[in-house]
Amino acid sequence: EKLQISALFIEMQQFQEAITILKRMYEKEYNNSQVLFMLVQAYSQSEQYENAIFLLNEWLDIYPNDKNALDLLEIIKSFS
């Protein structure tokens, strides 16, 4: 499964490969929180904080009460 492959890429610190797969998945499954959070993780670990924040803000426009997304946004903002 693509999600598992992406997780392996993240684990091996091959973030760009994971991002490429996850972006394609997210375009098709934009309401899948698991894909979103993994993509945010890949962006964050590769220090692409602006992309991570953008995605989370987009998600929060649709799901404004998502506590996990709100908490993650706070954490990422503290790094950027």
Side-chain angles (χ1 to χ4, degrees):
E1 181 180 302
K2 291 179 182 180
L3 211 52
Q4 292 172 323
I5 293 168
S6 298
L8 286 173
F9 277 132
I10 290 171
E11 195 173 309
M12 295 184 310
Q13 297 186 356
Q14 295 180 355
F15 303 116
Q16 203 51 53
E17 290 85 349
I19 289 167
T20 300
I21 294 168
L22 290 164
K23 277 173 68 175
R24 283 192 209 125
M25 289 178 68
Y26 189 65
E27 287 170 6
K28 295 176 186 170
E29 303 177 48
Y30 60 88
N31 60 344
N32 184 330
S33 63
Q34 194 172 11
V35 173
L36 169 91
F37 288 122
M38 195 173 285
L39 181 53
V40 166
Q41 177 186 5
Y43 277 138
S44 298
Q45 289 187 358
S46 61
E47 298 182 359
Q48 296 181 48
Y49 301 118
E50 289 178 15
N51 290 332
I53 290 168
F54 178 82
L55 267 182
L56 284 168
N57 280 326
E58 234 181 22
W59 180 263
L60 288 166
D61 284 344
I62 301 166
Y63 305 102
N65 298 320
D66 185 326
K67 180 153 176 35
N68 292 328
L70 289 166
D71 291 345
L72 190 54
L73 183 60
E74 284 296 311
I75 291 166
I76 293 170
K77 281 184 174 180
S78 73
F79 287 109
S80 64

